[in-house]
Amino acid sequence: MGRSTIGIGYVICLAELPLASFIPSNTARGGGIIYPIVESIIASLGVEPQMGENPVGGFFSLVAAAANLLSSSLFVTGMAGNPIVATKAASIFGIDFGFSQWVLGACVPVLFLIFLLPPVMHIIMRPKVDFGMLSVDILQQHRELGQVSTNELKLCATLLGCLVLWIGTPYFGIDSAVVAYMAIVVLVLVNILTWDDIIKNHKAWDTFFWLASFIVLAEQLTALGVTEWIGNSLSRSLQHTSPLAGTLSLSLVYFLSMYLFSSISSHVVAFAGPFFAAGHVLGCPPRLLTILVALFSSMSGVLTPFSTGSVAIYASQGYISQPRWFFYGLVISAIMLGTVLSVGLLWWKILGWY
């Protein structure tokens, strides 16, 4: 895969996918883990941010940003706002849309997009790379990695245990948050983390407190009737449509409404509940509307260069100007919408979700 730009694009996408199953912050995953790797790849190809706009840097930045959003949509643990979608679906529709149901519904359209995106973006951006010297650098770096350490094996075993418990939530009855806390305790006990490491992780504590505030805000909006009022307003405007047409209309409006927000989590908090409430009034198929909102909550982040921290990091490097990022965002969003509303609808029909 490392012998072509498309192949490296696939590697970036495949690196994002497994991480999203146990790293619930797309910014930490994309900005803290994948971004340094992507920047190293770009630098090894002789491209630096100070060089300005560049098709090679732009191609990898766009692919990495889109891969981060796609991986966020594949798992309920992939993005901080995803549990809010699942909670709202449970409270309004009375359905259990946990880890396994989320992955089942999202896997086909998301994996199809992962397969489609790198070659399509390569056609649009036409990056040109000489892989002669790059192959030598890759071999040298591979030799320097050394053997897998004991701590790395312990970490992998802990993360695998988390994944098993998350997937088996309906069977084990252990909440996903409890599983995450158990993992932290295990990592401390086996000396992979220290208590100082936990205290100094300011980004994690920051996310913990503002996300808790968002969740309380979402609950209060429902308790005060604001969610119901917005839902009723939307349902009145679509009252003469069929349940399927109403579902698709609501999901498209939800996707495009991301232009109004600078945070995908804020977008979820503000609109997931009202759109579900409108769908409930219109008689929309519950699982179909839920999976569409689940996917579009993250995918809509591709529309702007400031939708979430990970996207903003890639956009800030200057390989693509802001106006062109908006343009490429429209192109990628069209690909995403076309795939979800064709491949996705066929898959969900097979599952019997509408």
Side-chain angles (χ1 to χ4, degrees):
M1 284 188 175
R3 297 179 180 178
S4 69
T5 48
I6 295 177
I8 296 176
Y10 279 128
V11 169
I12 294 170
C13 293
L14 294 176
E16 271 277 4
L17 287 179
L19 294 176
S21 64
F22 52 80
I23 300 179
S25 169
N26 67 307
T27 299
R29 188 175 68 251
I33 300 175
I34 302 298
Y35 166 74
I37 297 172
V38 173
E39 279 302 293
S40 296
I41 292 172
I42 295 172
S44 68
L45 298 173
V47 178
E48 300 291 342
Q50 58 266 28
M51 295 170 62
E53 293 188 46
N54 184 281
V56 174
F59 170 77
F60 288 121
S61 295
L62 271 175
V63 169
N68 179 260
L69 296 171
L70 287 173
S71 65
S72 298
S73 67
L74 181 57
F75 302 99
V76 69
T77 53
M79 189 266 288
N82 286 353
I84 297 175
V85 174
T87 302
K88 287 294 180 182
S91 63
I92 294 173
F93 292 124
I95 61 173
D96 178 18
F97 210 79
F99 190 94
S100 56
Q101 284 287 296
W102 190 298
V103 173
L104 177 65
C107 63
V108 171
V110 169
L111 293 178
F112 188 90
L113 281 166
I114 290 290
F115 174 78
L116 188 64
L117 197 61
V120 171
M121 293 311 301
H122 188 274
I123 293 172
I124 295 172
M125 303 198 70
R126 300 180 181 278
K128 296 180 179 179
V129 176
D130 179 11
F131 283 91
M133 291 299 297
L134 181 60
S135 298
V136 177
D137 290 340
I138 291 174
L139 288 173
Q140 180 62 30
Q141 292 174 20
H142 182 71
R143 294 191 193 99
E144 293 172 357
L145 284 176
Q147 298 296 319
V148 178
S149 68
T150 303
N151 279 347
E152 288 170 339
L153 291 174
K154 291 178 182 177
L155 177 61
C156 290
T158 304
L159 296 178
L160 181 60
C162 288
L163 191 56
V164 170
L165 291 174
W166 278 327
I167 293 173
T169 296
Y171 308 102
F172 301 119
I174 304 175
D175 188 78
S176 58
V178 176
V179 174
Y181 284 120
M182 289 168 57
I184 293 173
V185 172
V186 170
L187 292 176
V188 172
L189 291 176
V190 298
N191 296 320
I192 294 177
L193 287 178
T194 65
W195 185 243
D196 282 342
D197 293 329
I198 296 172
I199 294 174
K200 292 176 181 177
N201 196 335
H202 305 298
K203 290 183 178 179
W205 288 111
D206 182 58
T207 300
F208 180 83
F209 282 104
W210 66 252
L211 181 59
S213 302
F214 277 156
I215 293 173
V216 172
L217 175 61
E219 291 175 349
Q220 290 304 306
L221 287 173
T222 301
L224 294 173
V226 176
T227 295
E228 184 180 0
W229 175 77
I230 296 175
N232 289 335
S233 300
L234 287 168
S235 60
R236 280 196 298 270
S237 64
L238 296 169
Q239 60 184 337
H240 299 299
T241 61
S242 67
L244 180 59
T247 301
L248 298 180
S249 299
L250 285 173
S251 62
L252 286 172
V253 173
Y254 181 81
F255 186 96
L256 295 173
S257 65
M258 185 61 219
Y259 276 121
L260 304 174
F261 293 85
S262 59
S263 164
I264 53 181
S265 294
S266 299
H267 182 224
V268 171
V269 171
F271 278 171
F275 276 73
F276 282 154
H280 184 65
V281 172
L282 291 170
C284 298
R287 294 190 182 280
L288 178 61
L289 183 58
T290 300
I291 190 61
L292 283 169
V293 170
L295 292 176
F296 288 168
S297 293
S298 295
M299 290 184 183
S300 60
V302 78
L303 288 170
T304 70
F306 49 77
S307 60
T308 185
S310 55
V311 173
I313 289 170
Y314 288 113
S316 67
Q317 298 310 298
Y319 299 123
I320 303 174
S321 65
Q322 276 215 350
R324 291 191 69 81
W325 191 285
F326 275 99
F327 169 74
Y328 289 130
L330 280 174
V331 172
I332 298 173
S333 65
I335 296 169
M336 289 179 172
L337 288 171
T339 299
V340 170
L341 298 180
S342 56
V343 176
L345 284 176
L346 177 60
W347 173 238
W348 301 322
K349 186 70 173 178
I350 294 171
L351 293 177
W353 285 9
Y354 72 98

